[in-house]
Amino acid sequence: MTSWASWTTSGVFTGAGGVRTVEVGPISGDLTVHTTWIDGQAEVAVQFTGALDWFTLPGSPVPCPSQEESRSLHQAVIDAIRLGATETALSAPGRRGSASA
């Protein structure tokens, strides 16, 4: 049986420097953050709020053994984006991501 969950948070305003994405590099402004957890992996993407295109955060997907941990990761990414901490959430201690949030 496949286990999955997802969270979406809109109205996340970026701190200084914005957030780095795989597809287009840094973006900033009013973003929506989406995390999907499927069978031990969390995929994190952002978009400009109200837009259609989603952009992957470097290091995503990351190993995430539980639904609860993936929810915590989602919140950590939101917090990092708001602070402009572009090298934190997905590469935090205990995570195998290599880059930013």
Side-chain angles (χ1 to χ4, degrees):
M1 180 156 116
T2 300
S3 297
W4 73 275
S6 68
W7 295 272
T8 303
T9 304
S10 58
V12 179
F13 290 88
T14 58
V19 60
R20 193 161 45 103
T21 67
V22 171
E23 296 83 1
V24 297
I27 62 174
S28 61
D30 180 2
L31 303 180
T32 295
V33 179
H34 182 77
T35 302
T36 302
W37 176 75
I38 302 173
D39 290 336
Q41 292 264 338
E43 297 180 14
V44 184
V46 295
Q47 72 174 180
F48 292 104
T49 297
L52 297 177
D53 295 326
W54 287 95
F55 305 108
T56 308
L57 296 186
S60 178
V62 295
C64 210
S66 70
Q67 179 177 340
E68 294 77 20
E69 187 173 325
S70 66
R71 177 63 182 101
S72 294
L73 172 67
H74 179 78
Q75 187 60 52
V77 169
I78 291 167
D79 295 343
I81 288 171
R82 287 179 174 151
L83 291 172
T86 59
E87 298 297 323
T88 55
L90 295 184
S91 61
R95 302 218 182 278
R96 291 189 201 148
S98 61
S100 72

